[in-house]
Amino acid sequence: MSAQPHQTPAESNVFTQLLEELGDHHGFYVGPYKLLDLPIILWDNGRLHLYPSPTAMEQAGLYRMVEGHPVRVADGKPPALDLSITNLVVYQWLGMLLVGIALWRAVRRYRAHPLRPPRGLQNAIEALVVFIRDEVVFANVGHQRLGVRLLPYFLTLFFFILVLNLLGLVPGGHTATGSLAVTGALATIAFFVINGGAIATIGLKNWLRHLLGGGPLWLSPILVPIEIIGMFAKAFALCVRLFANMTAGHIALLSLVGLIFFFGTVLIAPVSVAFSVFVYLLETLVAFLQAYIFTILTAVFLGLASEETH
Amino acid sequence: MELGLAWLAAGIGVGISVLGAGTGIGRLGAAALEAASRQPETAAETRTLMLIAAALIEGIALIACIVCILLAVKTA
Amino acid sequence: MPNFLELSPGLMFWTLLNFLLFVAVLARFAWRPLLNALEQREHHIAEALRQAEQARQDAERLLQEAQNRLQEAQQEMQRLIREGKQQAEAFLREATEKAEQLKRQKLEEAQRELQRQVERAYSQLYAEVVDLVLEGTARLLHQTLDSTTHRRLVESFLAEVARQN
């Protein structure tokens, strides 16, 4: 597939083509429409290659786009590292901007009238913040001081995931959290927060003792590998859960729309639309739920890992 | 032939994993409802625990589904 | 493998960068003032609640006091009424008793006086009778008898007559 799969004729599998929508692109897309070319940043042969757009890159002659990815013209292999700013990066920035504006407005009002009851957007943000603070972080992270120190991380995590999930539900929006790389990065940070927080709280010795899983020493050859796998599995499950939840809804929507093309008749459209609305509403719930689940699971794992001893 | 078998495997796999996850979440929901109706004052805590457990079950099911998707989109 | 299942290192790098930057910026410029303001307001609300509770308790205490005082006043009033009634009764009883006593005293006095008068009258009567009898007897016997001896004789006779009466 090229960088613009929408321009290819629809003679091939519609569903596969629609699935490509879920991926990342070297351009800023709203729905199927490309609004901007995004710069390409490659690290290859020990130096950085910067191009303002894929076209400029192809014109420069060193690299060309194959199936949406830059490859070397010389040997047809991908570059060592593709650090291009892509569609989903732009959606992250968009989400950060939205959260930033909302929080800025709320904070401005807090500064102006610290003791007045919250209003409108400020009220919604406050409800979420208080919920995350009391019900998610303080309720699950046993150590009060650890919870207070990591509160900014949890709050940011929740709002970051929530806004990216919701951006994916805005018509035309792309879901950054529906990409394994994004959720993988978030899970990597969660992994380090969980284990780093645990080591900082109970010390390296106690943390290593957790690896025994509370069993006797002679069981350690079995338990230690299990605990180590479990440690990574937690982060991996966080990553896959968020990705799959966000993608599954989109795939369901695409499948329902795909039914129209599959049957080749518009008569199926009412069924598709009715089910789509249902799935869409479900996805709205899932958007909030998954942001909450990711945050609370991180808090729960952190609480479990930073328990004194079994 | 090989692709057909992969698709078949994907379909059967998704079915089985959904069966498992559905059973698990169903039992979990039943237990949580029972606990919440028996002790309504701890309903909030029960709900949190239920969501966490549901998320863990769901995580496993989703990993299984990813495996199935990988089978289904097998092109070689 | 379809596009959306790829784990692209570039996107991962940018996500890490974005998120960590976002955490740092929000922690400094959003969460700190927001959480501080929340805490301040929660503190303020808790304080207001505490004050309201204090005021309520004060009011309750005052009401209780007023009620107590009212009850005390009522009790005092009843006590006074009861005492007054008792005093009036006692006074009445005393007066009655005094009047009764006075009446009895006067009656006794009158009786005693009457007795005395009667006795005096008797003794006068005796003396006169004795004298009369003596006179008569003297007249009869022409003073033959020693006056004192006969007088004693007659007196004893008269005392006998008085006893028989």
Side-chain angles (χ1 to χ4, degrees):
Chain A
M1 287 261 171
S2 77
Q4 294 90 26
H6 326 283
Q7 291 164 10
T8 56
E11 93 285 351
S12 66
N13 190 340
V14 174
F15 185 63
T16 320
Q17 196 184 328
L18 284 173
L19 275 187
E20 288 302 320
E21 288 300 313
L22 297 173
D24 209 355
H25 317 290
H26 285 275
F28 176 48
Y29 284 86
V30 171
Y33 308 107
K34 183 159 82 177
L35 295 190
L36 281 174
D37 271 329
L38 292 175
I40 301 243
I41 303 166
L42 302 175
W43 175 262
D44 202 16
N45 298 327
R47 72 180 199 87
L48 271 179
H49 300 264
L50 293 170
Y51 302 103
S53 71
T55 330
M57 180 190 76
E58 290 199 331
Q59 278 167 358
L62 272 177
Y63 300 93
R64 60 191 178 83
M65 299 298 276
V66 174
E67 294 193 347
H69 295 294
V71 292
R72 290 187 202 125
V73 172
D75 53 5
K77 283 189 178 153
L81 204 51
D82 180 359
L83 293 179
S84 307
I85 292 167
T86 55
N87 192 25
L88 296 184
V89 176
V90 175
Y91 271 96
Q92 285 178 24
W93 288 343
L94 212 63
M96 287 158 69
L97 192 72
L98 287 175
V99 172
I101 289 171
L103 287 178
W104 180 65
R105 288 177 61 109
V107 165
R108 204 178 48 172
R109 200 175 132 72
Y110 274 114
R111 284 233 164 89
H113 318 284
L115 296 182
R116 291 242 192 102
R119 263 192 337 212
L121 185 70
Q122 184 199 15
N123 201 351
I125 287 173
E126 182 181 317
L128 288 174
V129 167
V130 169
F131 177 72
I132 296 293
R133 186 189 63 179
D134 295 340
E135 305 293 321
V136 173
V137 179
F138 288 171
N140 291 305
V141 180
H143 285 73
Q144 182 78 16
R145 279 192 55 216
L146 183 67
V148 170
R149 283 193 63 189
L150 285 177
L151 195 51
Y153 162 72
F154 284 110
L155 286 169
T156 313
L157 182 67
F158 178 77
F159 279 95
F160 189 71
I161 296 176
L162 180 64
V163 78
L164 292 185
N165 289 352
L166 290 178
L167 269 182
L169 291 177
V170 174
H174 288 229
T175 323
T177 41
S179 157
L180 269 177
V182 175
T183 62
L186 292 176
T188 308
I189 294 171
F191 176 82
F192 283 112
V193 163
I194 289 166
N195 291 296
I199 291 172
T201 312
I202 59 172
L204 190 62
K205 219 177 96 190
N206 281 324
W207 179 75
L208 286 173
R209 199 173 291 157
H210 271 285
L211 289 184
L212 281 176
L217 204 62
W218 58 271
L219 267 180
S220 60
I222 307 169
L223 282 179
V224 169
I226 290 179
E227 286 287 323
I228 290 174
I229 291 172
M231 223 160 70
F232 287 98
K234 282 171 188 165
F236 181 70
L238 280 180
C239 158
V240 172
R241 177 179 305 111
L242 181 55
F243 158 75
N245 269 291
M246 295 326 291
T247 311
H250 293 347
I251 291 181
L253 280 180
L254 290 180
S255 309
L256 287 168
V257 176
L259 278 182
I260 302 172
F261 298 94
F262 183 75
F263 287 110
T265 164
V266 85
L267 290 178
I268 203 78
V271 180
S272 288
V273 169
F275 276 97
S276 297
V277 169
F278 170 70
V279 171
Y280 188 87
L281 291 176
L282 196 68
E283 269 211 89
T284 316
L285 170 70
V286 166
F288 281 92
L289 195 64
Q290 288 308 315
Y292 164 66
I293 290 283
F294 197 106
T295 316
I296 197 170
L297 280 182
T298 311
V300 167
F301 292 151
L302 175 62
L304 286 178
S306 59
E307 265 175 9
E308 281 299 339
T309 35
H310 293 290
Chain B
M1 179 62 190
E2 210 176 287
L3 267 183
L5 279 181
W7 287 337
L8 185 66
I12 292 173
V14 157
I16 292 173
S17 57
V18 162
L19 207 65
T23 314
I25 290 181
R27 291 181 59 117
L28 171 69
L33 266 182
E34 199 177 317
S37 54
R38 200 166 280 177
Q39 286 179 300
E41 64 273 14
T42 60
E45 204 179 327
T46 308
R47 194 177 52 225
T48 310
L49 289 175
M50 183 193 77
L51 280 178
I52 292 168
L56 292 174
I57 295 172
E58 186 199 48
I60 294 169
L62 287 172
I63 291 172
C65 288
I66 297 289
V67 171
C68 297
I69 290 177
L70 287 178
L71 277 176
V73 298
K74 194 167 179 264
T75 45
Chain C
M1 190 185 281
N3 204 345
F4 75 96
L5 275 179
E6 276 166 4
L7 188 62
S8 112
L11 184 55
M12 208 160 160
F13 164 79
W14 280 108
T15 308
L16 283 171
L17 193 74
N18 282 346
F19 184 74
L20 292 177
L21 226 94
F22 200 40
V23 171
V25 169
L26 285 192
R28 171 75 186 77
F29 294 104
W31 302 132
R32 197 192 297 170
L34 211 149
L35 290 170
N36 282 346
L38 272 181
E39 207 162 298
Q40 194 184 340
R41 204 174 60 221
E42 272 160 12
H43 187 73
H44 179 77
I45 289 171
E47 182 70 17
L49 275 179
R50 204 185 55 72
Q51 279 175 356
E53 177 69 12
Q54 180 84 36
R56 197 184 63 77
Q57 280 177 353
D58 280 356
E60 215 162 81
R61 196 168 46 74
L62 284 176
L63 184 69
Q64 190 68 41
E65 259 174 33
Q67 275 177 344
N68 283 350
R69 213 169 283 168
L70 190 68
Q71 210 170 356
E72 267 171 29
Q74 273 178 345
Q75 280 174 351
E76 179 74 15
M77 189 180 75
Q78 273 171 355
R79 193 178 59 79
L80 282 177
I81 290 174
R82 210 165 46 236
E83 271 181 12
K85 215 182 265 177
Q86 276 174 355
Q87 273 179 350
E89 274 170 9
F91 183 73
L92 196 65
R93 207 165 46 237
E94 211 175 315
T96 317
E97 266 170 21
K98 231 180 241 172
E100 194 88 6
Q101 205 177 353
L102 202 64
K103 193 180 81 183
R104 229 174 14 246
Q105 211 175 336
K106 291 277 173 194
L107 208 64
E108 274 172 13
E109 257 173 35
Q111 274 176 347
R112 262 201 310 276
E113 184 67 31
L114 195 64
Q115 191 94 25
R116 223 171 24 245
Q117 296 279 354
V118 168
E119 274 171 13
R120 208 167 54 204
Y122 268 130
S123 58
Q124 272 179 2
L125 191 61
Y126 284 157
E128 263 172 50
V129 168
V130 168
D131 283 349
L132 282 177
V133 169
L134 277 181
E135 208 173 324
T137 319
R139 270 182 204 162
L140 276 174
L141 298 178
H142 305 289
Q143 295 186 338
T144 54
L145 285 173
D146 178 31
S147 113
T148 48
T149 326
H150 279 95
R151 190 176 183 95
R152 201 166 56 233
L153 195 70
V154 172
E155 268 182 0
S156 70
F157 167 73
L158 275 175
E160 207 174 317
V161 170
R163 221 173 16 250
Q164 280 170 356
N165 281 352

